[in-house]
Amino acid sequence: MTRRWLRWAVLAVVLCLGALAGCAQMPITGSVGKSRDSATTRGNAPQYIPPGPRDGASPQSVIEGFFNAGSGYQNDFTVARQFLAPAQAVTWKPSQRTLVYRGSAAVVPTGRENEYSYEMDLAYSVDSQGISTPFPPGTKEHLDVTVSSVDGQWRLSKLPDGTAIPEETFKVLYKSFPLYFFDPGFSTLVPDVRWFIDNSGVAKSLVSALIAGPAPYLRSAVATSFPQGVRLERESVPIVDNTAQVDLTSEVRDASFTDRQRMHAQLVRTFSGISSVVGVTLRSNQSEVALEDPTTGGNIPQPTVDPQVPAWQVAVAGGELVRYADQQAARIDGLRSVAQFNPREPAAAQSQQVYAFLGDGPALYSAVPNQPARLLESRTRLSPPSVSPTDWVWTAGPGATGATEVVAYRPVGVAEGADVPHVAIAPRWLAGRTVEDLRVSRDGARVAVLSSRDGKAVLQLAGIVRGPDGVPRELADPVTLPTADAGARRVAWVDELTLLVSGLSATEPVAPEIVSLRGGEPRQLPPLAGIHSISAGNGEQAIYAQTPAGVFQLVRTAWTEHGKGVEYPAFAG
C-alpha cells in the first residue's frame, strides 16, 4: 500500500505543479460543499483521480481501495462510492469527518465473518466544519467495516461516515482559512482557523462554517452577527466578477441594519483568504440585501482587524520601569519609583493607564500613574504578567490548595487603598501543570498559555469567557498548538495568527520558534546565547530578545545588537 501511495502522491504533485504555491502546508480539514454553479472560484487543490475497484478483488483490496479513494474529492467522491454497496453509496457522508493519519494504514481481519478493521496512527481528526483535533504520535484509531457480495463482487456494506487520508496527502489537498467572529464588544474581529480542500466549493464551505459558529474553544468567548436559524439559500456561493454572492434565508432580511453590516464585515474578512474574491454581497432569495439604513444613512464603525501595539516597549533600567524606544530608555510620566520592589518581567497596557511587574516574593504589583505601586498577588510562584486591552492584569500560579489558578486584576480607576476587583479561575485542563507564561491576545478574546509538567512544555490557546459586565469568568477548553521545544518557557504574540515561543538560558544558545495558528511545523529562528526574555511587536520584523550582552533584534536571519542598559523589554499586552 505504501508504494501505491507514493505513486499516487507523485501523480498528485504532477497534476498540481502550477498550484503548489497555494496548497496547504499542514493538517486540519472539513467538509466541502458540492456547488451547482459554474461561477465559482477555481481553487488550487490538485485533481487527484484514484483507481476504481477491480473485478475479483479480495475484501482487503476493496477496503484498501475505498480508503485510498478518499482523496478523490471530485464529483462528491464518485470513485470512492464505487467501492460501496448500493444503499451505502447513497447514504455515505464523506464530509462528516476526515481522519488524517501518520505513515500508512492497515486492513486487519477482526475474526468475525466479513468484518475488518482499518487501523492507523491518528494525527488529526477534522469535523465537517473544518475544526481540527490533534493527537500525539502513537494514538491508535480503527474504523470497523463490513463487506458483502454484490453481483459477485465484494463491496463495503457497513462503514462509518467520513474519510481517512495520509498526512502527506492532506498537506497537498487542504489549506487553512481563518473565519472571523467579533469580540464581545463588536469592535474587533477575531480569527478562528479552519481547514478545507482549496477547490471550487471552498466559498460555500467558509460561509457554512461561519454561520455554524465558532470552534468550541472560542464558542463563549466571541460573538457573531448571524441570526439564529439562518442558512445558505442554495448549495453554492457563486463568485461573479470577483464578488462572492452570499445568498441567505429570510432571517437576514429580519436582521437590523447594524447586524447586516456586521455580517458583511465578518464575510469580507473571512473571504480575504480567497485571492479571487475582492468583494461580497449579502443577498436573500437572489436579491441584494441593503446594508445601510435609508432613513439615517448610518454605518457602524469598521471593526479592527489584527490589532497593533505601540512601537515602544516597557523595560527595567536602574531598578525602575522605563519606556524603551529607538534604543533609548526614558522615564514614564507620572509613574512613581518601584525600585524598592526589585522589579522584573514588566508589562504595560496599550492605554498606558496601568503597568505591572513581578517583584521579590514572588509578588505581582501594579503601577498606575500618580499612585504608589500596589501589591496585587503573592504566591509561591507566579508567571510574568500580561495586560489585556481592557486593562486587566493577568498572571498564574498555585492557589491555596496547590491547584493552578489564573488570576486577573483591574486596578485602573481604583482609589488608593481600596480593594482591586479581581477574579481567580482554576481551569481543569491546567490541573497538575505549572504555567510558565500566558499572554492575552491583542483582540482580548484569547489567551496563549505555555505550561509544563515534568519539564515538558505545552502551548495551548483558550477563549476568555466574560460576563455581561466584561469581567473574566473562565477559560474555555483549549486547543493545543505544535511546539518543537519541550523546554519552552516564554510566549509572545507576533500578530493575530502568529506566536513567538522561546526557552531561557543563562549562557547556552537558545533557538526561539515561530508558531502559526494556520498550521505547519514550528519554524526555528537562529539561536542566541543567554536569552533572558523575548518580545514581539507588529510582525516578524519586530522580534527582540534580551541577553546579558544587551537587547538584540532579529533582522531577517540574524540577531543584531539593538541596545544596552535595559532588561525585560516587552511590548504592550
Side-chain angles (χ1 to χ4, degrees):
M1 180 172 69
T2 302
R3 291 175 181 170
R4 185 180 309 166
W5 267 114
L6 286 174
R7 290 197 299 270
W8 290 345
V10 170
L11 174 62
V13 170
V14 171
L15 291 171
C16 77
L17 279 176
L20 273 178
C23 290
Q25 298 299 312
M26 178 77 181
I28 321 173
T29 165
S31 67
V32 180
K34 182 179 179 182
S35 173
R36 297 172 185 166
D37 259 278
S38 59
T40 54
T41 179
R42 180 168 171 265
N44 291 318
Q47 297 288 306
Y48 169 66
I49 311 297
R54 294 180 292 103
D55 287 346
S58 67
Q60 290 93 332
S61 294
V62 169
I63 294 168
E64 182 181 310
F66 165 75
F67 283 106
N68 287 347
S71 299
Y73 60 85
Q74 296 83 3
N75 299 316
D76 196 21
F77 297 84
T78 297
V79 175
R81 293 183 191 276
Q82 295 173 20
F83 291 89
L84 306 181
Q88 285 66 40
V90 174
T91 60
W92 175 59
K93 299 179 178 63
S95 299
Q96 193 71 20
R97 181 179 67 159
T98 300
L99 301 182
V100 182
Y101 57 84
R102 302 177 181 92
S104 58
V107 179
V108 180
T110 65
R112 296 181 293 273
E113 186 177 7
N114 295 337
E115 293 184 9
Y116 297 83
S117 180
Y118 195 65
E119 299 182 353
M120 66 197 78
D121 181 0
L122 185 63
Y124 299 87
S125 173
V126 190
D127 70 11
S128 61
Q129 302 302 328
I131 300 171
S132 164
T133 302
F135 296 92
T139 301
K140 300 304 180 184
E141 178 70 16
H142 63 89
L143 301 175
D144 294 331
V145 299
T146 301
V147 295
S148 301
S149 179
V150 177
D151 297 330
Q153 303 294 330
W154 292 108
R155 295 292 181 262
L156 278 72
S157 56
K158 185 178 179 181
L159 73 162
D161 287 326
T163 59
I165 62 176
E167 192 171 20
E168 292 75 13
T169 302
F170 185 91
K171 294 175 185 179
V172 175
L173 292 181
Y174 287 76
K175 178 183 175 183
S176 62
F177 293 90
L179 309 183
Y180 282 86
F181 299 92
F182 280 99
D183 74 304
F186 287 95
S187 63
T188 304
L189 287 170
V190 181
D192 178 0
V193 177
R194 308 293 178 88
W195 291 79
F196 299 104
I197 296 177
D198 187 19
N199 69 345
S200 62
V202 70
K204 187 258 184 183
S205 296
L206 294 178
V207 176
S208 295
L210 190 62
I211 291 172
Y217 84 98
L218 284 176
R219 193 157 291 155
S220 300
V222 296
T224 184
S225 53
F226 288 88
Q228 194 76 22
V230 72
R231 62 186 188 280
L232 275 168
E233 189 77 67
R234 48 183 172 162
E235 284 296 304
S236 68
V237 175
I239 311 297
V240 180
D241 295 331
N242 299 113
T243 298
Q245 298 181 347
V246 180
D247 203 352
L248 302 177
T249 49
S250 60
E251 288 85 356
V252 70
R253 291 193 178 276
D254 298 329
S256 68
F257 287 102
T258 295
D259 283 340
R260 293 181 193 179
Q261 291 178 33
R262 287 173 175 166
M263 278 185 262
H264 187 257
Q266 285 182 253
L267 288 165
V268 167
R269 185 59 183 171
T270 296
F271 272 109
S272 65
I274 301 180
S275 59
S276 61
V277 177
V278 297
V280 178
T281 59
L282 200 59
R283 302 161 70 88
S284 183
N285 197 23
Q286 302 188 41
S287 297
E288 192 166 342
V289 175
L291 301 179
E292 188 176 293
D293 189 342
T295 62
T296 64
N299 285 311
I300 63 169
Q302 287 298 305
T304 301
V305 175
D306 193 11
Q308 305 289 285
V309 293
W312 52 266
Q313 301 187 64
V314 64
V316 176
E320 302 288 359
L321 299 189
V322 297
R323 183 174 298 172
Y324 181 65
D326 299 325
Q327 300 181 310
Q328 299 291 322
R331 66 182 300 273
I332 299 173
D333 290 342
L335 212 60
R336 300 183 185 179
S337 176
V338 297
Q340 61 182 308
F341 304 112
N342 191 21
R344 64 185 188 278
E345 305 281 7
Q350 290 196 41
S351 66
Q352 304 177 54
Q353 294 187 76
V354 63
Y355 300 83
F357 59 90
L358 295 184
D360 291 336
L364 173 69
Y365 293 86
S366 65
V368 174
N370 303 312
Q371 286 188 6
R374 188 192 309 256
L375 174 65
L376 298 178
E377 188 69 50
S378 182
R379 301 192 179 207
T380 57
R381 179 187 174 104
L382 289 168
S383 65
S386 175
V387 185
S388 77
T390 52
D391 298 331
W392 285 86
V393 177
W394 293 71
T395 187
T401 65
T404 298
E405 291 183 342
V406 176
V407 293
Y409 287 81
R410 197 172 192 278
V412 173
V414 178
E416 187 176 334
D419 291 337
V420 177
H422 72 281
V423 295
I425 303 166
R428 64 177 182 271
W429 48 273
L430 283 176
R433 305 193 65 82
T434 298
V435 175
E436 303 290 347
D437 202 4
L438 65 80
R439 292 288 145 185
V440 178
S441 62
R442 294 163 186 176
D443 50 56
R446 304 167 292 163
V447 61
V449 180
L450 189 64
S451 66
S452 64
R453 175 187 289 159
D454 299 328
K456 296 182 179 179
V458 171
L459 178 61
Q460 295 174 297
L461 187 64
I464 300 173
V465 181
R466 302 177 185 272
D469 55 0
V471 175
R473 297 299 182 196
E474 62 178 302
L475 299 183
D477 288 344
V479 292
T480 300
L481 303 174
T483 53
D485 184 3
R489 293 295 179 264
R490 292 293 180 267
V491 61
W493 288 93
V494 178
D495 57 39
E496 65 173 2
L497 291 168
T498 311
L499 292 162
L500 172 68
V501 178
S502 180
L504 303 177
S505 175
T507 57
E508 296 300 313
V510 176
E513 297 173 346
I514 295 293
V515 176
S516 174
L517 273 59
R518 302 193 70 147
E521 295 297 327
R523 176 162 52 87
Q524 196 172 78
L525 300 179
L528 181 64
I531 291 182
H532 287 180
S533 68
I534 58 169
S535 61
N538 300 311
E540 293 188 29
Q541 71 280 3
I543 288 177
Y544 296 83
Q546 183 249 324
T547 78
V551 177
F552 290 79
Q553 182 180 7
L554 183 66
V555 180
R556 290 185 289 276
T557 59
W559 294 99
T560 301
E561 186 177 321
H562 188 265
K564 296 180 181 293
V566 299
E567 296 181 291
Y568 307 107
F571 287 92

